[in-house]
Amino acid sequence: MSARGVRRLVALVVAVALVSIWPTVATDLLGRTTAEPAWWSATAAAAHVGLVVALVRAAWTGEGLRGACWAVVVTGNALVLGHAVLAPPAAAGAPAPWELALSPATVGAAAVVLPLGPALVLGLVHIAVRGALPLTGTWRQTPLEVVLDGLLLLVIVAAASVAVQAVRAAADQVATARTQADAAAARAAAAGAAEREHARWDAIVHDDVLAVLSVAAAARTGEDRAVAGDAARTALRRLGRDAAPAPVPLAGPAGLAGRLAEAAHRRAPGAVVEVGALAAAPAGARLTADVADAVADAAAEAVRNAVRHGGGPGGPVPPTTVAAAVADGAVVVEVRDEGVGFDPAAVAGGRLGLAVSVARRVEAVGGRAQVLSAPGRGTRVVLRVPLAAPGDGAP
């Protein structure tokens, strides 16, 4: 239970307790069975009603609760003493003063704001104040009745104090657990962001830096060196751009279609692109910026891999297809070629293209990648990344 829930529970309990008391008080006042002067009864009753309203409001809002409780405690004792001073001696069989019906509220208010020990002390003080009435003769009561009434009030104090403190302790435990959960979530988010950033830079190094070095190392003619120079300049521009990437707002899956088509045709001009299904995505489907970047870049690297390796050593670029759709709360992108294929289990550990630029990219944003291939049967790279949950990112 939250702190707000505790306040409202206390307010409800206080209100119910007071409502159960005041019918008796009202009956005595309206029936003119009170022994003290009418002006005293009217003033005292009005003051107590005002304090009760203030107490319930303070318990509901959590503002000024301690002061309101102390006011009820002091007023309850003062009303009993006022009866002892103003009322004439009571006749045998006279009804109990209406002020005594407020005793549960007096001792209960102390239990709301104090631990059990101090609350019991205030309960004993009130019992002593009530003892002034038999001493002054303004209310006739046997010693046994005095003791039994006192014990009942102490039971009320103990029960109310233990209940209130238990509820507050439970609320504190919930608040502590919630704080710890928020801190753990923040740490997990920070770790996830760091992992995504590491994956992004690993992929950049593989896709641009290592690719440029490979082209440069293979250059033998002036034309080859010119191509290597263009590739190096392109890589530098991308490094400069990605060092501080501009935030990209959330977009529907349809906005990913153009990026996939551009990536496929840049690396394989003859590739077939089948991304029209993204335009039919359910209303409200969205991709966060990092997810869209990850799946687009991973698909581009899968196309590059098909171009470089799909035809085998010295072979032609195989027919390549890029397809995308939305299914089961995720965007699914498939890059397939009709090349020579390979055995995924036999790939050397030093080959980073599929491991870093494809798989790790989408895994860093909560997705997954699957490579399906066999010698002579082409290759399929299936990427699945989650759609944004409601409330993520900007609308």
Side-chain angles (χ1 to χ4, degrees):
M1 180 180 291
S2 65
R4 182 181 182 185
V6 170
R7 292 197 305 269
R8 293 188 171 184
L9 177 61
V10 171
L12 179 62
V13 171
V14 169
V16 170
L18 294 175
V19 166
S20 67
I21 292 171
W22 264 97
T24 301
V25 175
T27 299
D28 290 346
L29 292 175
L30 295 177
R32 298 183 182 277
T33 60
T34 58
E36 63 272 4
W39 65 266
W40 164 257
S41 297
T43 303
H48 199 269
V49 169
L51 291 175
V52 165
V53 172
L55 175 58
V56 173
R57 179 183 179 279
W60 185 268
T61 63
E63 299 177 359
L65 178 60
R66 182 173 295 273
C69 286
W70 276 109
V72 170
V73 171
V74 172
T75 301
N77 286 312
L79 293 182
V80 174
L81 290 175
H83 180 87
V85 172
L86 298 175
W98 66 268
E99 293 89 347
L100 296 185
L102 303 178
S103 290
T106 302
V107 297
V112 170
V113 294
L114 294 175
L116 178 58
L120 287 174
V121 171
L122 284 183
L124 291 172
V125 169
H126 184 68
I127 292 172
V129 170
R130 286 169 56 102
L133 272 62
L135 292 177
T136 59
T138 54
W139 181 39
R140 297 182 180 275
Q141 194 177 30
T142 66
L144 178 60
E145 291 173 336
V146 172
V147 171
L148 292 178
D149 285 350
L151 290 176
L152 176 61
L153 291 177
L154 291 179
V155 169
I156 292 175
V157 172
S161 179
V162 170
V164 170
Q165 298 305 319
V167 171
R168 285 178 174 161
D172 290 342
Q173 291 176 352
V174 171
T176 300
R178 183 172 297 161
T179 300
Q180 292 173 346
D182 290 343
R187 290 193 297 269
E195 173 62 20
R196 288 193 295 272
E197 188 68 4
H198 292 159
R200 187 172 69 89
W201 279 102
D202 286 347
I204 289 172
V205 169
H206 175 272
D207 296 354
D208 294 300
V209 178
L210 295 183
V212 168
L213 292 176
S214 177
V215 172
R220 295 293 182 270
T221 66
E223 183 179 354
D224 290 342
R225 286 190 287 273
V227 171
D230 290 340
R233 283 188 289 273
T234 300
L236 288 173
R237 284 196 299 271
R238 186 179 176 192
L239 287 172
R241 180 196 69 197
D242 286 343
V248 180
L250 285 179
L256 182 63
R259 297 183 63 177
L260 292 173
E262 189 273 335
H265 289 149
R266 186 171 70 248
R267 290 162 176 79
V272 176
V273 178
E274 300 172 351
V275 294
L278 293 178
R286 293 290 184 270
L287 283 173
T288 57
D290 55 346
V291 171
D293 289 342
V295 71
D297 291 342
E301 180 58 24
V303 173
R304 186 207 302 267
N305 197 71
V307 170
R308 296 179 62 185
H309 306 294
V317 175
T320 304
T321 301
V322 178
V326 175
D328 299 328
V331 171
V332 181
V333 178
E334 180 177 327
V335 179
R336 59 181 179 269
D337 66 64
E338 300 177 17
V340 297
F342 67 100
D343 180 3
V347 175
R351 297 289 296 276
L352 304 178
L354 292 176
V356 172
S357 292
V358 177
R360 191 177 176 194
R361 255 189 173 124
V362 295
E363 290 169 357
V365 294
R368 66 178 185 269
Q370 187 177 18
V371 179
L372 306 171
S373 185
R377 301 186 62 179
T379 300
R380 293 173 56 211
V381 178
V382 182
L383 311 173
R384 180 182 291 270
V385 293
L387 292 171
D392 285 354

